[in-house]
């Protein structure tokens, strides 16, 4: 009888969702200063709910709701709160795998902070792209703007928030949140991560 009970438990366990492995472990063990609103218990709950294909939402430390939106073997995307999102991407660098995290906050425009770590969550100095604001201008803004408009725009651009998003093929897209501008003369910039650096496309 005991043999049949053990077999039943083994079959039951084998039918449970398996963890994605590394990406789950990295998320669970992220330092508190990286994800201050979520403790390990909340992170484990998010992973369990997501693996069971349920709505992966928990209460965070401020009493708001945090939602695990997407997870695969290379990345994890989390809506930390109504105004904040966080992404973790595992990419191959020159010295091995590393983590690139994007923390975006929406408050009068979207702004993204980028940080890099090794797999032990030790910070890595990585040269993130810092384009001149004029690079965000379309090729021929003069067609629709006067010299005075352009001058004003050049003065405004450095003060506008820059948002970032990760694209397929290890590409990072930067864009200026120009919702306060009436002129449609800005474009996103795309960088490809290769050989330890971001290269403008």
């Amino acid at each position: 009888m005991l043999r049949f009970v053990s077999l039943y438990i083994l079959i039951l366990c084998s039918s449970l969702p398996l963890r994605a492995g590394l990406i789950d472990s990295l998320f669970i063990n992220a330092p508190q200063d990286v994800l201050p609103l979520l403790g390990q218990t909340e992170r484990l709950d998010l992973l369990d709910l997501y693996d069971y294909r349920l709505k992966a939402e928990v209460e965070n430390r401020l009493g708001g709701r945090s939602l695990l939106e997407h997870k695969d073997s290379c990345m994890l995307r989390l809506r930390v709160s109504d105004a904040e999102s966080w992404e973790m991407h595992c990419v191959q660098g020159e010295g091995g795998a590393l983590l690139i995290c994007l923390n975006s906050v929406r408050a009068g425009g979207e702004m993204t902070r980028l940080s890099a770590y090794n797999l032990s969550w030790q910070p890595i100095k990585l040269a993130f792209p810092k384009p001149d604001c004029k690079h965000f201008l379309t090729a021929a803004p003069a067609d629709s703007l006067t010299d005075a408009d352009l001058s004003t725009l050049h003065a405004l651009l450095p003060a506008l928030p820059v948002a970032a998003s990760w694209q397929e093929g290890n590409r990072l897209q930067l864009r200026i949140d120009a919702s306060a501008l009436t002129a449609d003369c800005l474009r996103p910039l795309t960088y490809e991560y290769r050989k330890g650096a971001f290269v403008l496309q």
Side-chain angles (χ1 to χ4, degrees):
M1 180 67 179
L2 184 59
R3 186 185 309 162
F4 291 114
V5 172
S6 299
L7 181 61
Y8 174 76
I9 293 173
L10 182 62
I11 292 170
L12 181 64
C13 290
S14 66
S15 67
L16 298 177
L18 296 176
R19 290 242 182 266
L22 178 63
I23 211 75
D24 288 18
S25 177
L26 290 167
F27 177 58
I28 293 166
N29 294 303
Q32 202 63 52
D33 61 340
V34 174
L35 278 173
L37 294 187
L38 294 171
Q40 282 196 342
T41 301
E42 290 79 21
R43 299 179 205 181
L44 285 165
D45 288 344
L46 285 171
L47 292 172
D48 284 339
L49 290 166
Y50 189 91
D51 287 344
Y52 279 103
R53 297 180 181 162
L54 300 171
K55 186 177 183 180
E57 188 176 46
V58 298
E59 183 175 338
N60 59 45
R61 290 182 170 175
L62 291 181
R65 308 299 294 175
S66 295
L67 176 71
L68 177 54
E69 295 181 322
H70 178 77
K71 175 175 72 83
D72 59 34
S73 60
C74 297
M75 70 85 68
L76 183 146
R77 183 172 62 248
L78 179 71
R79 192 176 74 209
V80 182
S81 68
D82 290 340
E84 182 182 0
S85 61
W86 183 81
E87 295 181 17
M88 173 180 66
H89 299 269
C90 188
V91 301
Q92 193 63 32
E94 278 195 308
L98 70 147
L99 300 172
I100 294 178
C101 296
L102 285 72
N103 188 205
S104 298
V105 177
R106 292 172 298 281
E110 184 178 354
M111 180 181 291
T112 304
R113 183 174 59 89
L114 292 87
S115 50
Y117 306 88
N118 63 20
L119 297 189
S120 298
W121 285 105
Q122 296 170 324
I124 294 175
K125 288 185 179 178
L126 186 63
F128 288 115
K130 293 182 179 177
D132 191 301
C133 289
K134 66 183 179 184
H135 293 153
F136 287 98
L137 290 171
T138 54
D143 293 344
S144 57
L145 298 174
T146 66
D147 288 343
D149 289 335
L150 276 174
S151 179
T152 303
L153 188 58
H154 278 286
L156 281 174
L157 286 180
L160 294 175
V162 177
S165 58
W166 196 259
Q167 313 286 322
E168 287 186 18
N170 282 352
R171 289 184 175 88
L172 180 71
Q173 186 180 86
L174 301 182
R175 64 192 183 281
I176 287 184
D177 188 333
S179 53
L181 301 179
T182 55
D184 184 20
C185 59
L186 298 178
R187 64 188 176 110
L189 298 178
T190 301
Y191 293 80
E192 183 180 357
Y193 180 75
R194 59 173 187 255
K195 295 184 178 179
F198 287 97
V199 181
L200 183 62
Q201 299 297 287

